[in-house]
């Protein structure tokens, strides 16, 4: 399989202003500002092959979303380099943008006051898609996600689970080769979570895109991911398969102790929280 994502020492450091307490000190801060550096991602080198679902797991603030935003071109790195489908993402070339899609679980890309069907018509124009083919694609995806009955309802009148399904259809309308999913099942009930998992599994088998998926629901990762990336405080600390990770962790945690993937990840996140 071809390498579609490759990074070399990719990093992102944010400079934040440290505001002093009190009115007088705040005025002094205009003259003598103090800045603090926050390392969101530290010199990350990785390679991802085409057609895989890659699970990106870590605690809040570990650097997951920062990595996704850099790979999709929303954030420029402080140093290092990355190639996604042969492009530098932050150059935002049209040829690159037509081949990728990013879905942030708490951000809407569809228009709030119109129906999803109308939003898809606008997106089809933006991506210069054939209207008839776009409608057929929407119908096919909606059937797979079991949400055809709400295509013509205002987005703001839909439940959270229905809205997320609509957002997924919008993200896939132009058949991207790479799909970045940041917490797509966050806040959803068990039925909606399972429907989206089954859809993603079927869709990847059908279209073979590369998917990078972040989630705090370990079922999403355990049931879908071909490869696991474990990130801690801006560092990738593990790259490999889920079974290999569980086997390795079982050996390190305790001899003769059987633990599953969710147990291992829970222990990792608890340990990281104590350090942080």
């Amino acid at each position: 399989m071809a390498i579609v994502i490759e990074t070399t020492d990719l990093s992102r450091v944010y400079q934040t202003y440290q505001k002093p307490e009190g009115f007088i000190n705040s005025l002094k801060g205009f003259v003598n500002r103090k800045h603090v550096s926050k390392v969101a991602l530290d010199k990350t080198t990785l390679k991802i092959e085409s057609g895989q679902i890659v699970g990106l797991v870590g605690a809040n603030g570990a650097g997951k979303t920062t990595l996704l935003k850099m790979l999709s071109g929303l954030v420029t790195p402080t140093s290092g380099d990355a190639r996604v489908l042969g492009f530098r993402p932050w150059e935002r070339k049209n040829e690159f943008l037509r081949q990728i899609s990013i879905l942030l679980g708490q951000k809407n890309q569809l228009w709030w006051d119109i129906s999803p069907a109308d939003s898809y018509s606008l997106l089809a124009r933006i991506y210069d898609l054939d209207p008839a083919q776009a409608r057929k694609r929407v119908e096919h995806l909606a059937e797979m996600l079991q949400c055809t009955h709400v295509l013509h309802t205002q987005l703001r009148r839909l439940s959270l689970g229905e809205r997320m399904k609509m957002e997924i259809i919008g993200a896939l309308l132009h058949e991207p080769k790479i799909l970045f999913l940041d917490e797509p099942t966050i806040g959803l009930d068990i039925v909606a979570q399972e429907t989206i998992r089954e859809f993603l599994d079927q869709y990847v088998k059908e279209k073979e895109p590369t998917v990078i998926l972040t989630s705090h629901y370990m079922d999403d990762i355990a049931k879908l991911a071909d490869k696991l990336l474990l990130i801690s405080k801006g560092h990738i600390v593990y790259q490999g398969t889920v079974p290999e990770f569980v086997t390795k962790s079982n050996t390190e945690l305790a001899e003769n102790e059987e633990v599953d993937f969710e147990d291992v990840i829970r222990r990792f996140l608890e340990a990281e929280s104590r350090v942080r």
Side-chain angles (χ1 to χ4, degrees):
M1 290 184 287
I3 302 296
V4 292
I5 298 175
E6 185 171 5
T7 72
T8 305
D9 292 336
L10 192 69
S11 68
R12 175 68 191 189
V13 179
Y14 291 97
Q15 294 285 339
T16 59
Y17 165 54
Q18 190 175 33
K19 184 181 180 301
E21 184 178 355
F23 179 72
I24 300 298
N25 288 329
S26 295
L27 291 177
K28 292 179 180 178
F30 283 105
V31 179
N32 185 22
R33 284 182 175 256
K34 293 183 180 180
H35 293 85
V36 177
S37 295
K38 164 66 175 176
V39 179
L41 192 72
D42 189 19
K43 293 186 177 180
T44 297
T45 298
L46 57 85
K47 293 182 179 180
I48 295 174
E49 297 176 332
S50 62
Q52 291 186 326
I53 299 181
V54 179
L56 182 59
V57 178
N60 291 327
K64 304 186 301 297
T65 302
T66 298
L67 178 58
L68 289 192
K69 287 183 176 180
M70 282 196 285
L71 294 179
S72 61
L74 294 177
V75 171
T76 302
T78 303
S79 63
D81 196 16
R83 295 283 178 168
V84 179
L85 297 171
F87 297 93
R88 282 195 175 91
W90 47 91
E91 293 178 353
R92 306 284 291 172
K93 293 183 178 179
N94 287 336
E95 297 91 335
F96 167 72
L97 296 176
R98 288 177 179 275
Q99 298 183 75
I100 66 118
S101 190
I102 182 168
L103 178 60
L104 304 175
Q106 295 179 324
K107 302 286 185 181
N108 291 328
Q109 67 168 336
L110 303 182
W111 286 267
W112 190 246
D113 289 315
I114 62 178
S115 71
D118 287 334
S119 288
Y120 302 146
S121 295
L122 291 172
L123 287 174
R125 287 176 174 267
I126 291 171
Y127 285 106
D128 196 24
L129 304 177
D130 177 79
Q133 290 297 322
R135 283 194 295 272
K136 288 182 180 179
R137 181 155 178 75
V138 167
E139 291 170 3
H140 175 61
L141 294 173
E143 287 176 4
M144 291 176 67
L145 280 165
Q146 304 170 29
C147 59
T148 304
H149 60 291
V150 294
L151 284 173
H152 298 281
T153 303
Q154 280 180 305
L155 188 71
R156 62 186 175 87
R157 296 184 183 275
L158 301 182
S159 68
L160 179 60
E162 291 168 338
R163 289 203 306 272
M164 182 51 63
K165 292 177 183 179
M166 297 297 108
E167 294 288 347
I168 290 173
I169 293 174
L172 297 175
L173 188 61
H174 59 295
E175 294 190 343
K177 292 182 179 178
I178 296 183
L179 178 62
F180 300 101
L181 295 176
D182 189 24
E183 300 282 356
T185 57
I186 188 169
L188 305 189
D189 61 54
I190 294 175
V191 175
Q193 289 177 32
E194 190 60 32
T195 299
I196 289 175
R197 285 189 203 111
E198 291 175 356
F199 166 79
L200 289 174
D201 184 52
Q202 182 181 351
Y203 181 84
V204 170
K205 289 176 180 176
E206 180 181 313
K207 297 295 183 179
E208 298 185 342
T210 302
V211 179
I212 299 185
L213 167 69
T214 78
S215 180
H216 282 109
Y217 297 114
M218 290 305 105
D219 277 350
D220 292 350
I221 307 298
K223 294 180 179 179
L224 293 173
D226 302 301
K227 183 177 181 180
L228 173 66
L229 295 179
L230 195 59
I231 189 168
S232 173
K233 296 185 280 294
H235 297 271
I236 299 293
V237 295
Y238 176 80
Q239 298 186 51
T241 67
V242 171
E244 287 171 350
F245 175 70
V246 174
T247 301
K248 178 176 181 290
S249 298
N250 280 345
T251 303
E252 292 179 351
L253 286 171
E255 292 183 3
N256 302 321
E257 181 183 1
E258 292 295 329
V259 292
D260 61 19
F261 176 64
E262 188 164 358
D263 289 332
V264 175
I265 292 295
R266 177 178 54 78
R267 295 187 189 195
F268 167 79
L269 294 178
E270 287 176 350
E272 184 179 357
S273 297
R274 286 194 295 270
V275 172
R276 295 171 72 86

